[in-house]
């Protein structure tokens, strides 16, 4: 009876698969949705959870205010909603109660705090505990002590996580650094810390250290709660997306300087001073044009290898993606007091600008993408020969050099190794830009007819 | 059904589309084959959904696992370094070995060496170690160079401060009796020593006692002759540990006392701070200053391994009116525990610095690291206050700085404000409200401008291989560039350090002990803006106008050189042909008992000081520009 068999088999299959399916659904709900209990958010009507959550936040911010801690809202999800809905917010002010912004559907809300306003205040933490908040305090090394001197102080608070009813309030400590920017630390769990305290992956802050310009804050009412927010939300959010900060590798730099002590002759001291002022000037000028740049070549190597400037390098090298090129760069630098020394190539190919300030040269190399590599060009003025320097693709991070917040390739080691080979850690004083770099390639010649246009030397 | 005949009674044809849904289903379901098809399709659908859900489940599980991994990523890779403590209940008896000889001393507790000193030309005198009677931990280690004067007084002070019941271990290295006076010997006797009264030149000696209790052992060898030392002594003994409750006090539980308890369980020799009854306070709450301009100026305390100095210094600093403990950072040169314990006792921030280089260069590198770190820790600060650990701080230290700080901002010809007057001794300083300009940087409690440090000093600070004093370097013309410092007539700091790199008891007695130190609170400084470059010259001209020239036929070293007046201004001249011609000044300084080791505290060849309550202007002629103007004055008067 094959037919009967087939039906039975089918029926059995259906039953088992339904049972299996039901089990899986049950399991799925139980395991996966544990992370996000706020599925029903932003639907207009409030859930009981939302109301509870808003009152908790109110309580928490009230405590912070009472203890004189001016927290500001730094939550990316909430700020995104705020920046989109800034008009609708006004209308909503009349309705009570509501939770349009702070109930983001995420179990985490982040606030930031200027650390110099934090005085170790057991009262605040105690009061928070009394209100039912559980606290996870994450501390770490003080980066302001990290320098070529070997200093160690007590650990400073980096992140506070307050938990109530499965919801996390993250307080990020922003420290003022000497390059006139704010810094927050990486969130690292020590061995004895409860790993299930919070969904750490969902935190906006702490995966990497980050750096920010000091945001201007305004006091506003969000969902019926008084809270400070950055005045320019979209700027803050775009900073947040690319805030990753790299600390200079001071330990390695110290070792390097043990082997090759720094030149402290008056000339070298003077050169470093000039480089510092030139770099600050370049930073200011390009910031006005809103052009991101990074340290390249020798200047990048100096930062990476010795957290300083290579005193015999005689110039400052920075890189800019050609997509960010603006035709008013030259005039901006000129009005900043620099003179154009030469201009090689064109926007489509191998563009390179050189400016002069006192006797220090600022080389601006423009980088072109090509598949999985990026490259910049070089031109020999007298022969019209073209060269090409090839780097693996990289992203940009913030770093500090000479009291200035600057970008460097996040994959600095790859970048430096591409440029200087595996022996980048050995100083080379005689350097030929056409042959010494390990990533240099011949790239033909400029047609002689176009020399006047493409090789401009002043 | 081969042939078809229309049935007249048949229902009229209804198009399929119009058939009701119900009927469609009914029709379909009645068809077995359709049912089977349908079931098959359903099964397929179920299987498909199962597969999809499975895939989703796998993906989600992986996501969750990723999150776990991410959480793992956040983990600190450094393992917990803390090693478990040995159970204290294991043994109740400590084996102690103490060795005393000319060139080496050591102390071993239960086989662990807690003191070993065999360095040449170092560690001379009596070494004292204090052990906790309950745990056997070392609570204090001190050397008293009782070959030199006054060190025995320091030892008496220290021994009196040790809590009763602690175990004291004494041992002599090289020589420890030359300036060990009877008071100290008697104290040792009262502690239980049998031989202390007979301790003599180059004797070797060891002693282990419980303060206010039994003697565990004592050994002594006499030196046979003046030129030789006593034979080395090795004392081996056992100490019975007591229950820990007996060794602790019961203070009320609060934040301050938790710090106190931690401190007192670790270290000894701080006296009443660890007393069980009415311990000395560690919180001072001095009056705030109205209009405090230095409340947010960071204070860098430069420290080495002199914890009892640091303790004394911090007490006076934290008692000064207008202090802001939040801004104080103590920079310790080296990874010493006890100074850090002192810092934590007062609830302050401490930073330890790995020492670089040796001697003066080490101090100089420590200064540089500390100043750099200070401005890194406080990027918003434009000034820093720098204080050494061997200073007492005047009660109006911050008030003094608050009133003068603006001068540094407004007058580019100034490069520091210092609390110290090199020539301000008990008999030569008078007016706490009076300020001077001087060309030599005195240090010893001073304010540094950030721009001066960052733009000028830091980039060319002496490198570790240069064995220079940082302060001498700062005074060099290349750094000073003709700029001056503002100082008070009566110093706002007092240098009490006896032990130090460039310091010993004799030196301190002669040059520092009689230094005048302001103890009056809230002194209102007079005419602060007259300290600016041009105004100060006017001020000095005015002084000369009212000044009388002293009778130069008399001996300037004699008291009678000055008339028995009060509150008058006098001028005297000394010979100084060139910058380096300092012999006349040195001679005068010697007989006036002021600083005579180098030339300090002058402004364009003019020293200002007080004698017999009169203001005396000492003019170096002819090098000082004032020697001519005053010359005219003199001529007119005579």
């Amino acid at each position: 009876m094959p037919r009967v068999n087939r039906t039975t088999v089918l029926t059995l299959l259906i039953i088992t698969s339904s049972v299996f399916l039901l089990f899986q659904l049950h399991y799925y709900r139980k395991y996966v949705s544990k992370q996000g209990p706020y599925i029903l958010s932003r639907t207009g009507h409030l859930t009981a959870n939302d109301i509870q959550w808003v009152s908790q936040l109110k309580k928490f911010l009230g405590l912070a205010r009472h203890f004189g801690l001016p927290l500001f809202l730094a939550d990316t999800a909430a700020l995104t909603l705020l920046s989109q809905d800034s008009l609708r917010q006004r209308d909503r002010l009349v309705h009570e109660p509501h939770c349009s912004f702070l109930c983001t559907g995420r179990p985490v809300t982040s606030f930031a705090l200027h650390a110099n306003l934090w005085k170790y205040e057991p009262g605040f933490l105690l009061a928070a505990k009394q209100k039912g908040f559980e606290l996870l305090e994450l501390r770490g090394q003080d980066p302001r002590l990290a320098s070529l001197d070997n200093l160690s102080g007590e650990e400073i608070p980096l992140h506070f996580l307050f938990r109530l009813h499965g919801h996390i309030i993250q307080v990020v400590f922003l420290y003022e650094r000497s390059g006139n920017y704010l810094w927050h630390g990486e969130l690292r769990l020590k061995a004895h810390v409860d790993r299930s305290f919070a969904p750490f992956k969902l935190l906006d802050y702490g995966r990497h250290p980050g750096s920010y310009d000091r945001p201007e804050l305004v006091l506003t009412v969000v969902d019926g709660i008084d809270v400070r927010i950055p005045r320019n939300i979209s700027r803050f959010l775009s900073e947040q997306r690319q805030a990753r900060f790299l600390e200079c590798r001071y330990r390695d730099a110290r070792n390097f300087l043990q082997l090759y002590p720094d030149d402290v002759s008056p000339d070298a001291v003077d050169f470093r001073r000039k480089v510092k002022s030139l770099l600050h000037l370049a930073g200011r000028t390009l910031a006005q044009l809103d052009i991101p740049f990074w340290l390249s070549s020798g200047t990048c190597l100096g930062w990476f290898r010795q957290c300083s400037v290579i005193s015999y390098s005689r110039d400052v090298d920075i890189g800019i993606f050609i997509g960010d090129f603006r035709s008013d760069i030259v005039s901006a630098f000129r009005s900043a007091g620099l003179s154009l020394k030469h201009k090689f190539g064109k926007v489509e190919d191998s563009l390179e600008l050189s400016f002069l300030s006192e006797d220090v040269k600022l080389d601006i190399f423009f980088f072109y993408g090509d598949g999985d590599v990026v490259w910049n060009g070089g031109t020999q003025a007298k022969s019209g020969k073209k060269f090409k320097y090839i780097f693996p693709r990289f992203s940009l991070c913030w770093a500090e050099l000479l009291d200035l917040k600057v970008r460097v390739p996040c994959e600095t080691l790859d970048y430096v190794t591409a440029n200087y080979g595996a022996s980048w850690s050995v100083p080379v004083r005689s350097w030929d830009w056409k042959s010494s770099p390990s990533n240099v390639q011949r790239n033909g010649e400029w047609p002689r007819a176009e020399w006047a246009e493409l090789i401009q030397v002043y | 059904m081969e042939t078809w005949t229309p049935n007249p009674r048949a229902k009229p044809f209804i198009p399929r589309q119009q058939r009701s849904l119900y009927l469609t289903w009914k029709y379909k379901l009645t068809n077995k084959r359709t049912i089977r098809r349908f079931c098959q399709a359903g099964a397929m659908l179920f299987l498909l959904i199962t597969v999809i859900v499975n895939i989703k489940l796998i993906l989600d599980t992986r996501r969750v696992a990723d999150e776990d991994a991410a959480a793992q990523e956040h983990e600190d890779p450094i393992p917990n370094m803390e090693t478990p403590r040995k159970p204290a209940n294991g043994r109740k008896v400590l084996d102690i070995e103490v060795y005393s000889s000319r060139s080496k001393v050591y102390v071993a507790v239960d086989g662990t060496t807690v003191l070993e000193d065999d360095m040449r030309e170092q560690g001379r005198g009596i070494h004292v170690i204090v052990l906790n009677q309950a745990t056997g931990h070392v609570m204090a280690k001190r050397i008293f160079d009782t070959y030199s004067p006054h060190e025995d007084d320091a030892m008496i002070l220290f021994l009196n401060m040790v809590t009763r019941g602690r175990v004291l271990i004494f041992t002599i290295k090289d020589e420890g009796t030359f300036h060990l006076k009877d008071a100290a010997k008697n104290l040792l006797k009262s502690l239980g020593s049998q031989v202390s009264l007979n301790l003599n030149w180059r004797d070797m000696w060891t002693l282990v006692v419980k303060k206010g209790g039994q003697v565990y052992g004592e050994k002594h060898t006499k030196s046979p002759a003046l030129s030789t030392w006593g034979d080395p002594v090795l004392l081996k003994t056992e100490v019975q540990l007591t229950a820990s409750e007996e060794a602790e006090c019961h203070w009320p539980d609060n934040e301050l006392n938790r710090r106190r308890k931690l401190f007192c369980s670790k270290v000894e020799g701080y006296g009443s701070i660890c007393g069980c009854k009415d311990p000395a306070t560690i919180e001072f709450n001095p009056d705030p200053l109205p209009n405090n301009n230095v409340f947010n100026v960071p204070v860098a305390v430069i420290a080495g391994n002199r914890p009892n100095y640091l303790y004394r210094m911090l007490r006076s600093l934290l008692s000064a009116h207008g202090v802001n403990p939040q801004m104080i950072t103590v920079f310790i040169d080296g990874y010493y525990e006890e100074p850090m314990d002192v810092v934590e006792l007062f609830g302050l921030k401490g930073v330890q610095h790995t020492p670089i280089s040796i001697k003066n260069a080490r101090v100089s590198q420590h200064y540089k690291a500390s100043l750099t770190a200070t401005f890194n820790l406080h990027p918003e600060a434009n000034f820093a206050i720098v204080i050494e650990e061997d200073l007492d701080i005047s009660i109006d230290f911050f008030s003094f700085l608050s009133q003068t700080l603006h001068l540094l901002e407004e007058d580019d010809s100034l490069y520091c404000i210092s609390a110290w007057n090199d020539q301000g001794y008990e008999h030569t300083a008078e007016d706490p409200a009076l300020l001077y300009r001087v060309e030599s940087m005195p240090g010893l409690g001073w304010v540094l401008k950030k721009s001066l440090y960052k733009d000028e000093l830091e980039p060319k600070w002496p490198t570790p291989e240069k064995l220079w004093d940082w302060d001498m370097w700062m005074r060099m013309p290349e750094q000073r560039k003709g700029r001056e410092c503002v100082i008070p007539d009566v110093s706002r700091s007092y240098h009490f350090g006896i032990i130090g790199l460039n310091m010993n008891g004799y030196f301190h007695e002669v040059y520092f002990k009689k230094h005048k130190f302001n103890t009056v609170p809230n002194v209102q400084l007079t005419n602060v803006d007259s300290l600016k470059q041009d105004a100060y010259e006017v001020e000095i001209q005015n002084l000369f106008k009212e000044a009388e020239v002293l009778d130069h036929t008399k001996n300037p070293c004699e008291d009678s050189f000055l008339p028995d007046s009060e509150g008058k201004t006098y001028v005297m001249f000394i010979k100084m042909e060139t910058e380096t011609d300092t012999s006349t000044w040195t001679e005068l300084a010697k007989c006036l008992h002021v600083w005579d080791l180098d030339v300090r505290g002058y402004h364009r060849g003019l020293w200002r000081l007080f004698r017999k309550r009169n203001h005396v202007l000492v003019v170096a002629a002819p090098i000082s520009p004032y020697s001519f103007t005053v010359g005219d004055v003199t001529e007119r008067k005579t």
Side-chain angles (χ1 to χ4, degrees):
Chain A
M1 295 283 273
R3 273 199 178 175
V4 179
N5 270 350
R6 228 163 114 182
T7 321
T8 329
V9 166
L10 262 172
T11 324
L12 270 173
L13 235 155
I14 290 166
I15 292 167
T16 39
S17 70
S18 347
V19 169
F20 193 44
L21 196 69
L22 279 172
F23 168 74
Q24 284 179 340
L25 275 172
H26 171 73
Y27 178 77
Y28 176 77
R29 277 190 65 121
K30 215 183 145 192
Y31 188 49
V32 177
S33 52
K34 192 179 73 175
Q35 306 286 345
Y38 295 89
I39 313 161
L40 294 167
S41 71
R42 296 284 298 160
T43 47
H45 59 274
L46 286 174
T47 64
N49 264 339
D50 285 348
I51 295 167
Q52 190 193 24
W53 171 231
V54 171
S55 76
Q56 279 167 23
L57 264 181
K58 210 170 201 160
K59 211 157 58 179
F60 180 80
L61 290 171
L63 266 184
R65 201 164 30 245
H66 180 256
F67 285 93
L69 297 176
L71 300 175
F72 72 87
L73 184 68
D75 195 76
T76 50
L79 286 177
T80 308
L81 295 176
L82 267 172
S83 65
Q84 292 161 356
D85 289 52
S86 53
L87 286 175
R88 263 209 288 160
Q89 184 200 357
R90 303 265 148 72
D91 309 336
R92 290 225 178 188
L93 277 176
V94 266
H95 305 302
E96 285 280 340
H98 52 80
C99 183
S100 339
F101 306 107
L102 295 171
C103 304
T104 54
R106 289 153 38 89
V108 182
T109 308
S110 337
F111 291 91
L113 173 68
H114 283 277
N116 56 353
L117 300 169
W118 168 258
K119 302 167 176 69
Y120 187 78
E121 186 60 85
F124 172 65
L125 300 180
L126 264 172
K129 271 179 193 155
Q130 272 166 8
K131 300 251 176 190
F133 288 98
E134 295 167 83
L135 168 67
L136 182 63
E137 219 179 309
L138 296 142
R139 292 172 172 271
Q141 293 285 318
D142 192 337
R144 298 166 302 175
L145 293 176
S147 66
L148 293 173
D149 300 304
N150 203 343
L151 296 168
S152 69
E154 60 190 19
E155 297 199 323
I156 52 171
L158 299 177
H159 299 268
F160 282 177
L161 300 179
F162 295 90
R163 181 169 72 176
L164 187 61
H165 305 306
H167 203 111
I168 302 283
I169 296 173
Q170 181 183 22
V171 176
V172 185
F173 281 73
L174 295 175
Y175 287 87
E176 183 100 17
R177 298 280 301 261
S178 53
N180 197 20
Y181 60 94
L182 298 173
W183 172 94
H184 75 74
E186 197 173 15
L187 195 151
R188 293 216 152 267
L189 299 178
K190 297 208 166 125
H192 54 86
V193 172
D194 176 15
R195 263 143 194 77
S196 59
F197 187 89
F200 289 102
K201 173 102 186 241
L202 295 180
L203 298 180
D204 283 337
Y205 300 87
R207 192 167 179 76
H208 300 293
S211 69
Y212 295 82
D213 289 335
R214 202 181 297 96
E216 195 189 335
L217 302 177
V218 285
L219 188 63
T220 181
V221 182
V222 177
D223 293 337
I225 301 179
D226 289 344
V227 66
R228 283 155 197 272
I229 57 167
R231 181 183 288 276
N232 190 340
I233 295 177
S234 51
R235 185 182 150 81
F236 181 82
L237 287 173
S238 79
E239 264 196 273
Q240 201 274 342
R241 281 188 290 275
Q242 35 185 322
R244 186 175 169 196
F245 182 82
L246 294 183
E247 203 65 64
C248 196
R249 309 176 321 146
Y250 288 106
R251 185 196 297 258
D252 296 305
R254 273 199 294 275
N255 292 340
F256 174 84
L257 290 169
Q258 286 271 310
L259 284 173
Y260 311 101
D262 225 355
D263 186 357
V264 284
S265 64
D267 281 353
V269 169
D270 199 41
F271 174 69
R272 275 192 284 268
R273 182 186 61 75
K274 284 176 185 161
V275 168
K276 183 176 172 178
S277 72
L278 179 55
L279 204 54
H280 279 249
L281 187 96
R284 264 199 314 277
T285 310
L286 290 170
Q288 274 161 16
L289 298 174
D290 211 15
I291 298 176
F293 74 96
W294 66 92
L295 302 182
S296 191
S297 309
T299 313
C300 184
L301 179 65
W303 173 80
F304 185 67
R305 188 171 70 183
Q306 53 211 70
C307 303
S308 167
V309 171
I310 301 173
S311 54
Y312 50 85
S313 60
R314 314 268 41 124
D315 57 8
V316 175
D317 304 313
I318 61 175
I320 292 176
F321 286 120
I322 193 67
D324 294 320
F325 174 79
R326 283 177 51 173
S327 50
D328 48 355
I329 288 183
V330 175
S331 58
F333 272 105
R334 274 190 173 139
S335 54
L338 301 191
S339 56
L340 183 65
K341 188 165 178 284
H342 59 240
K343 180 186 176 209
F344 294 146
K346 50 188 173 182
V347 176
E348 298 77 35
D349 186 11
S350 302
L351 184 63
E352 179 192 342
L353 297 172
S354 269
F355 295 94
L356 203 61
S357 154
E358 296 181 64
D359 53 344
V360 181
K361 194 157 60 103
L362 172 71
D363 287 327
I364 303 180
F365 301 107
F366 288 87
F367 280 65
Y368 298 80
D370 185 3
D372 55 354
V373 298
V374 289
W375 60 274
N376 71 295
T379 300
Q380 190 179 23
K382 64 171 193 281
S383 66
K385 277 186 192 144
K386 286 167 70 187
F387 299 89
K388 197 172 182 179
Y389 304 85
I390 294 171
F391 297 89
R393 275 200 183 270
F394 53 86
S395 47
L396 292 177
C397 280
W398 289 107
E400 187 186 314
L401 179 67
L402 303 170
D403 291 336
L404 183 69
K405 187 178 101 163
V406 285
R407 288 191 180 85
V408 294
C410 297
E411 299 80 13
T412 328
L413 178 61
D414 297 339
Y415 190 85
V416 165
T417 311
N419 208 175
Y420 294 94
S423 60
W424 54 267
S425 57
V426 181
V428 179
R429 273 172 176 273
S430 59
W431 185 259
D432 181 5
W433 59 274
K434 300 179 292 302
S435 57
S436 302
S438 48
N439 59 343
V440 68
Q441 284 179 8
R442 294 291 290 272
N443 191 21
E445 282 173 26
W446 293 111
R448 194 164 271 275
E450 293 175 42
W451 278 26
E453 169 67 26
L454 301 176
I455 305 175
Q456 299 178 20
V457 180
Y458 299 94
Chain B
M1 297 265 263
E2 266 88 46
T3 54
W4 182 77
T5 37
N7 184 356
R9 280 174 298 156
K11 284 179 182 172
F13 174 74
I14 300 162
R16 220 184 154 102
Q17 288 88 341
Q18 289 181 11
R19 207 190 278 160
S20 78
L21 254 174
Y22 168 75
L23 281 177
T24 321
W25 280 102
K26 199 179 169 190
Y27 169 77
K28 274 195 176 173
L29 283 176
T30 44
N31 190 331
K32 259 197 167 183
R33 201 188 170 104
T34 324
I35 291 175
R36 214 175 290 129
R37 282 249 172 89
F38 184 76
C39 286
Q40 280 173 355
M44 280 309 290
L45 204 71
F46 259 116
L47 282 170
L48 213 72
I49 292 171
T50 317
V51 167
I52 290 168
V53 169
N54 259 309
I55 289 171
K56 186 157 171 47
L57 187 77
I58 288 167
L59 285 177
D60 283 331
T61 321
R62 182 178 281 177
R63 186 169 65 87
V64 172
D66 270 358
E67 264 161 38
D68 282 354
Q72 300 268 325
E73 246 176 60
H74 283 290
E75 275 172 38
D76 202 334
I78 304 159
N80 196 352
M81 297 295 282
E82 213 167 289
T83 50
R85 287 234 171 112
K86 263 191 279 178
N89 54 2
R91 289 195 55 182
K92 289 282 181 187
V93 173
L94 293 178
D95 290 320
I96 294 186
E97 265 181 55
V98 194
Y99 184 77
S100 163
S101 72
R102 177 196 170 184
S103 56
K104 174 178 180 170
V105 285
Y106 75 81
V107 174
V109 176
D110 264 355
T112 310
T113 306
V114 296
L115 165 74
E116 182 160 26
D117 186 345
D118 51 6
M119 301 279 278
R120 292 172 55 127
E121 294 173 24
Q122 258 188 35
R124 177 184 61 199
I126 302 180
H127 292 244
V128 184
I129 285 182
V130 183
L131 300 184
N132 186 308
Q133 69 272 39
T135 60
H137 288 168
V138 176
M139 299 185 75
K141 258 195 241 185
R142 296 281 191 282
I143 312 172
F144 298 100
D145 179 13
T146 42
Y147 170 83
S148 310
H150 304 303
E151 285 280 292
D152 57 341
D153 292 338
M155 186 170 82
I156 293 173
L157 199 67
F158 175 74
L159 291 176
N160 285 333
M161 281 198 290
V162 172
T163 314
R164 272 173 68 92
R166 302 278 189 236
V167 178
L168 292 165
I169 302 171
F170 297 85
T171 176
I172 288 181
K173 183 181 178 188
D174 191 358
E175 213 304 303
T177 66
F178 187 52
H179 274 104
L180 189 68
K181 305 244 168 55
D182 285 344
K185 288 181 178 173
N186 284 324
L187 176 65
L188 290 175
K189 182 168 179 261
S190 72
L191 285 173
S193 170
Q194 303 282 321
V195 302
S196 66
L197 297 180
N198 302 323
L199 275 178
N200 259 317
W201 174 252
R202 289 184 174 172
D203 286 357
M204 294 297 134
W205 170 68
T206 61
L207 170 67
V208 181
V209 293
K210 170 178 271 204
K211 187 172 176 186
Q214 68 183 113
V215 177
Y216 297 106
E218 182 171 28
K219 270 193 179 174
H220 173 228
T221 55
K222 287 218 83 67
S223 154
L226 271 184
S227 58
T228 52
W229 283 260
D231 291 330
V233 167
L234 179 62
L235 171 68
K236 290 188 177 180
T237 182
E238 285 186 343
V239 168
Q240 189 75 35
L241 290 177
T242 57
S244 63
E245 294 79 55
E246 292 169 35
E248 277 183 2
C249 295
H250 302 283
W251 296 300
D253 186 45
N254 60 35
E255 167 71 17
L256 288 183
N257 280 339
R258 271 191 288 274
R259 297 204 309 247
R260 185 195 299 278
K261 194 166 188 167
L262 184 68
F263 182 76
C264 294
S265 69
K266 284 158 105 179
V267 294
E268 254 300 350
Y270 294 85
S272 57
I273 202 101
C274 296
C276 286
K277 268 191 184 166
D278 301 326
T281 184
I282 53 173
E283 200 186 37
F284 303 93
N285 299 317
D287 296 344
L289 288 181
N291 313 320
N292 190 347
N293 298 322
V294 290
F295 191 75
N296 288 319
V297 176
V299 178
V301 176
I302 313 289
N305 188 20
R306 297 181 290 179
N308 43 345
Y309 281 15
L310 183 63
Y311 172 79
R312 174 173 167 178
M313 190 261 141
L314 290 177
R315 278 194 86 92
S316 71
L317 180 66
L318 292 171
S319 308
H321 290 168
V323 67
N324 179 2
Q326 290 281 337
M327 299 302 282
I328 299 174
T329 311
V330 181
F331 294 93
I332 301 164
D333 190 18
Y335 287 81
Y336 303 112
E337 269 181 50
E338 201 170 323
M340 206 61 180
D341 293 335
V342 171
V343 172
E344 280 164 8
L345 170 71
F346 290 115
L348 300 174
K349 281 194 292 285
V351 171
Q352 291 171 312
H353 173 219
T354 308
I356 305 166
S357 194
I358 49 160
K359 289 187 183 168
N360 306 24
R362 172 171 167 177
V363 175
S364 158
Q365 292 308 306
H366 182 52
Y367 263 87
K368 185 193 179 192
S370 306
L371 296 177
T372 302
T374 299
F375 288 118
N376 279 343
L377 285 168
H378 303 278
E380 70 291 347
N382 290 322
F383 301 95
I385 298 169
V386 186
I387 307 175
E388 289 86 352
E389 66 180 335
D390 51 2
L391 299 178
D392 281 330
I393 297 302
S394 167
I395 187 137
D396 79 330
F397 179 76
F398 292 106
S399 157
F400 160 71
L401 296 179
S402 172
Q403 292 175 65
T404 49
L405 191 73
H406 67 281
L407 291 173
L408 270 187
E409 258 170 348
E410 293 163 12
D411 187 350
D412 288 337
S413 68
L414 288 175
Y415 87 141
C416 87
I417 293 169
S418 172
W420 180 260
N421 176 5
D422 279 307
Q423 312 295 6
Y425 291 84
E426 292 280 5
H427 56 286
T428 56
E430 194 61 47
D431 184 358
L434 183 63
L435 302 172
Y436 300 137
R437 283 175 76 107
V438 293
E439 290 174 25
S440 55
M441 199 218 59
L444 300 176
W446 54 291
V447 182
L448 169 70
K449 202 169 164 181
K450 181 180 185 174
S451 57
L452 171 71
Y453 181 68
K454 280 281 162 190
D455 301 341
E456 296 183 39
L457 302 179
E458 189 187 32
K460 54 176 181 177
W461 197 273
T463 45
E465 73 277 2
K466 296 207 174 71
L467 300 183
W468 293 348
D469 281 316
W470 69 273
D471 50 343
M472 295 295 181
W473 174 78
M474 256 192 85
R475 286 173 194 142
M476 280 155 61
E478 296 87 338
Q479 278 65 251
R480 191 171 76 82
K481 293 183 178 160
R483 289 169 292 191
E484 296 186 297
C485 290
V486 170
I487 60 162
D489 179 50
V490 179
S491 299
R492 266 35 178 208
S493 59
Y494 177 75
H495 186 271
F496 63 76
I498 294 173
I499 320 156
L501 187 59
N502 302 319
M503 191 56 64
N504 61 50
Y506 170 78
F507 192 73
H508 184 263
E509 174 115 1
V510 174
Y511 292 106
F512 291 102
K513 202 166 180 189
K514 298 259 169 66
H515 227 98
K516 190 151 185 161
F517 176 61
N518 180 50
T519 51
V520 185
N522 302 318
V523 176
Q524 203 60 42
L525 304 173
T526 45
N527 209 357
V528 174
D529 282 326
S530 72
L531 270 294
K532 290 184 187 169
Q533 193 167 28
D534 297 336
Y536 193 66
E537 296 309 321
V538 175
E539 184 84 0
I540 286 182
Q541 291 304 332
N542 289 339
L543 272 179
F544 278 118
K545 272 181 199 148
E546 64 177 76
E548 280 174 39
V549 177
L550 288 164
D551 182 356
H552 283 61
T553 56
K554 290 184 183 166
N555 181 354
C557 293
E558 303 267 322
D559 246 11
S560 59
F561 184 66
L562 272 107
D564 292 322
S565 56
E566 220 173 83
K568 298 193 82 172
T569 309
Y570 296 104
V571 187
M572 68 177 285
F573 297 94
I574 58 169
K575 194 171 109 332
M576 194 166 174
E577 297 288 348
T578 61
E579 292 254 339
T580 49
D581 172 25
T582 58
S583 56
T584 318
W585 164 256
T586 308
E587 225 166 292
L588 180 69
K590 273 206 171 79
C591 76
L592 291 180
H593 299 291
V594 294
W595 185 268
D596 60 11
L597 295 180
D598 51 18
V599 184
R600 287 186 185 182
Y602 53 89
H603 164 80
R604 304 176 80 194
L606 165 73
W607 288 263
R608 296 174 62 180
L609 42 84
F610 283 86
R611 283 184 78 180
K612 290 166 72 177
R613 299 185 165 246
N614 297 301
H615 200 34
V616 179
L617 310 170
V618 182
V619 179
I623 192 165
S624 166
Y626 306 122
S627 50
F628 300 105
T629 48
V630 182
D632 299 342
V633 176
T634 322
E635 271 161 53
R636 252 184 283 131
K637 279 193 175 166
T638 44

